[in-house]
Amino acid sequence: MADADGLVLADLPGEWPTGLGFAFAARHGLEFRAWDFTPIQARQFLSRRAPGWGILRGLPVRPPPTRRQRIARWALVIAGVVCAAYAIHLLPPHTWRWIRSAVMSVADVLELKWLALMVSPLGAVLAPAFRRIDRALLGRRVGRGQALAAVDRPSRPRIAVNGERLEIGGLGPDRQAIRLRNHRIDHIGLLRYRCEDLAGLFILDTAGVPLYHFPGRWTPADVNRFAVRHGITYEVRDLPRPEYATLANAARDASP
């Protein structure tokens, strides 16, 4: 949902039938458009947030169960456990030995035991540990002015300097770094803005044209430290809504 300035009022993820959208808009006097965005266009469009912007996940499809429904479900669970225990008690011992032998044979063939040993530590221990290590290293780099990241989005995007060029990581789904190959760090500037309840960061060229738009909370001290370390022009401004809309609509790429 967008307003007259092209700013996004609400993001409703999901697959919406085009025909129903046109019918609903025509019935209520609204304008409906169906766009086929590229990934860059989608990022740029969703980053143009309007004041009061939000993501609507929708309402639950089913109402919460009543007290009788909860009692019935627990009764079924208890009955199932009792039936399973009674069946186990009635079966002869040699039947369970045969079932255990068959299961262990399949496990040995498929190497499920080793697979479980490899996967469970990665999913339960190593992956969260690596995320903590990554955030700790990022925090040290940000503290030294070597990198820059939003406070509310530590995973992406990330800004750094490689040689004499700005490097941005975490824009696409592959999270590979994207360099501003045509813009050296002495030919760009940083603009940290606030517009009503919105905040974010623009990367501008020397003519003031926005190259990248990163909504989110960017700590003033971190941005200033990064700009001073690399000699990048840095500005902090409270933007009126028309100027913010102009810059957001003109950005070449963004991270929503």
Side-chain angles (χ1 to χ4, degrees), residues 43 49 138 142 147-160 167-172 175-176 178 201 203 212-218 254-256:
R43 294 196 300 264
R49 304 176 179 179
L138 176 63
V142 170
L148 199 57
V151 178
D152 53 347
R153 305 176 66 188
S155 299
R156 61 174 191 173
R158 300 179 180 184
I159 302 175
E167 187 176 82
I168 302 173
L171 273 180
R175 301 201 173 199
Q176 293 180 353
I178 300 176
L201 183 72
I203 298 179
Y212 285 84
H213 178 204
F214 303 119
R217 294 168 47 206
W218 299 78
S255 177

Side-chain angles (χ1 to χ4, degrees), residues 189-195 198-202 204 218-225 227 232-240 243 247:
L190 302 178
L191 171 61
R192 192 180 67 84
Y193 69 86
R194 179 169 292 278
C195 178
L198 300 174
L201 183 72
F202 282 109
L204 312 173
W218 299 78
T219 306
D222 294 340
V223 181
N224 182 72
R225 188 185 306 110
I232 301 175
T233 304
Y234 172 47
E235 184 180 5
V236 181
R237 291 175 56 193
D238 287 330
L239 298 178
E243 185 177 0
L247 291 173

Side-chain angles (χ1 to χ4, degrees), residues 98-217:
W98 180 85
I99 294 175
R100 179 178 179 278
S101 178
V103 171
M104 293 304 297
S105 298
V106 174
D108 288 338
V109 172
L110 299 180
E111 296 292 339
L112 294 180
K113 294 183 296 185
W114 298 112
L115 183 62
L117 289 175
M118 293 174 60
V119 174
S120 58
L122 290 176
V125 179
L126 296 184
F130 284 143
R131 284 196 295 268
R132 294 191 187 96
I133 293 173
D134 178 68
R135 292 182 182 181
L137 293 177
L138 176 63
R140 291 187 59 184
R141 296 187 63 199
V142 170
R144 297 175 180 176
Q146 298 174 339
L148 199 57
V151 178
D152 53 347
R153 305 176 66 188
S155 299
R156 61 174 191 173
R158 300 179 180 184
I159 302 175
V161 171
N162 188 348
E164 297 181 349
R165 298 184 183 277
L166 199 68
E167 187 176 82
I168 302 173
L171 273 180
D174 54 0
R175 301 201 173 199
Q176 293 180 353
I178 300 176
R179 295 185 183 183
L180 293 173
R181 298 186 183 278
N182 298 326
H183 301 273
R184 296 163 56 93
I185 57 175
D186 53 352
H187 292 167
I188 63 171
L190 302 178
L191 171 61
R192 192 180 67 84
Y193 69 86
R194 179 169 292 278
C195 178
E196 299 183 24
D197 61 340
L198 300 174
L201 183 72
F202 282 109
I203 298 179
L204 312 173
D205 62 10
T206 52
V209 177
L211 303 173
Y212 285 84
H213 178 204
F214 303 119
R217 294 168 47 206

Side-chain angles (χ1 to χ4, degrees), residues 5-72:
D5 296 325
L7 302 179
V8 179
L9 294 169
D11 180 12
L12 289 79
E15 186 174 348
W16 298 81
T18 304
L20 295 179
F22 278 111
F24 179 85
R27 181 173 183 177
H28 297 280
L30 302 174
E31 182 181 359
F32 182 83
R33 296 182 182 180
W35 286 305
D36 187 11
F37 284 144
T38 64
I40 293 179
Q41 291 173 335
R43 294 196 300 264
Q44 196 273 344
F45 181 80
L46 293 176
S47 69
R48 289 150 37 184
R49 304 176 179 179
W53 171 90
I55 299 179
L56 303 181
R57 300 295 183 182
L59 300 175
V61 178
R62 297 180 180 178
T66 62
R67 186 170 181 272
R68 291 184 178 181
Q69 291 175 338
R70 291 196 298 268
I71 293 175

